[in-house]
Amino acid sequence: MCSPRIVRAAHEAADNPRLSRRAWLGAASAGALAAVSAIGSVQAAPNISGRVVDLTHVLTPELPVWPGNPPFISVPVAWHDHGGFGQNALAFWEHTGTHIDAPLHRMRDAAAVDRIPADDLVAPLVVVDIESKASTDPDAVLTISDIEEWESRHGRLPDRAFIAMHSGWEHRLATPGAFLNLDAEGRPHAPGFDTAAAEFLVTERSIVGAGVDTLSLDPGASREFGAHTAFLGAGRYGVEMLANLARVPVSGATVVIGAPKHAGGTGGPCRVLALT
């Protein structure tokens, strides 16, 4: 239930990435921010049962976003003391927090998030660990050699698998600025998929998607975005800013991706669960 003023303000904010947080909050408090439909994120509980691991970061205003994007904002617009129900207005760009990249995110006229087949959102989970090299090289990439080494130990990648890069990058969230890791020119530095590895996975293996524990499928400093182009251009999807990959086995688990389903979406925050 959105008034024309709410819709207009949301579009104006989306068109102006320099809009201040105060302006966003002011618009929201005036009822001018849309209540955006998304799957909620809660703090991951300890995996007592050994069956389910939450791979999702909690959406907060403090969670890092891609440079230039506004932070997540949540503003109360209804209160239990007035009408009996609580409700928040949410404001965020689609690629915020733990989120999915639909093919449309990179490729014009490709599939939007609501067109990703549901069957592709439940898949065998493969975790390739590059934490050792990422700890000394912030521009480290997951290569074909890393994939081949994984297969030498665990067998060929399962059919229709979801492959996740584990770089251990989430440990940097405890240190302000370390997750984005911006250089003097404002360019982020973080691990990602090598372009050749992404092309190998979509041509030589039958993956449904790929994920990273950083903000981008590509290494952060990339300007060619070859991994995005390879994965999304082949109709696969990506999931960025995964959490807790160290808590799941490198093979044998199943991933369930609760993707949003808004018409024409290029992606959106999602709840990602690993069934071990």
Side-chain angles (χ1 to χ4, degrees):
M1 296 182 291
C2 298
S3 70
R5 186 173 61 160
I6 290 175
V7 175
R8 183 173 64 253
H11 280 289
E12 290 172 353
D15 290 337
N16 184 3
R18 297 174 182 263
L19 191 65
S20 70
R21 184 178 176 190
R22 176 176 294 180
W24 278 71
L25 288 170
S29 64
L33 290 179
V36 183
S37 178
I39 296 175
S41 296
V42 299
Q43 183 66 41
N47 187 21
I48 298 173
S49 69
R51 296 180 61 193
V52 180
V53 179
D54 197 337
L55 304 183
T56 316
H57 286 286
V58 180
L59 271 176
T60 71
E62 293 73 35
L63 199 66
V65 295
W66 191 257
N69 289 7
F72 168 82
I73 296 174
S74 175
V75 178
V77 294
W79 297 266
H80 297 90
D81 292 342
H82 301 279
F85 295 91
Q87 184 173 200
N88 298 316
L90 306 181
F92 53 83
W93 285 14
E94 288 175 317
H95 300 268
T96 301
T98 302
H99 66 274
I100 191 168
D101 286 4
L104 181 61
H105 180 47
R106 179 63 173 163
M107 313 304 294
R108 191 187 305 271
D109 300 324
V113 69
D114 58 304
R115 305 298 295 177
I116 297 175
D119 287 351
D120 288 353
L121 299 174
V122 180
L125 175 61
V126 167
V127 179
V128 178
D129 192 330
I130 66 165
E131 184 171 10
S132 178
K133 60 182 176 180
S135 66
T136 58
D137 179 9
D139 297 310
V141 291
L142 189 156
T143 65
I144 294 176
S145 295
D146 294 319
I147 298 167
E148 291 174 340
E149 180 180 355
W150 189 98
E151 290 188 325
S152 71
R153 297 185 180 192
H154 307 287
R156 187 180 173 92
L157 293 183
D159 188 43
R160 298 179 58 76
F162 175 86
I163 181 168
M165 177 199 78
H166 173 230
S167 69
W169 209 246
E170 68 184 287
H171 299 312
R172 289 172 168 254
L173 288 171
T175 304
F179 193 88
L180 284 177
N181 197 31
L182 302 179
D183 62 22
E185 298 178 353
R187 179 177 298 187
H189 290 266
F193 279 88
D194 178 63
T195 298
E199 293 171 346
F200 172 83
L201 287 166
V202 300
T203 59
E204 303 298 327
R205 299 293 183 269
S206 58
I207 67 164
V208 295
V212 292
D213 54 1
T214 59
L215 281 173
S216 177
L217 294 170
D218 288 281
S222 172
R223 287 299 175 266
E224 285 73 37
F225 307 110
H228 273 89
T229 301
F231 288 132
L232 306 186
R236 275 59 162 191
Y237 62 85
V239 179
E240 294 167 330
M241 210 171 184
L242 289 165
N244 297 323
L245 287 173
R247 295 177 54 196
V248 297
V250 298
S251 65
T254 297
V255 69
V256 180
I257 299 165
K261 197 176 181 181
H262 53 295
T266 71
C270 57
R271 187 72 177 269
V272 184
L273 304 176
L275 312 181
T276 65

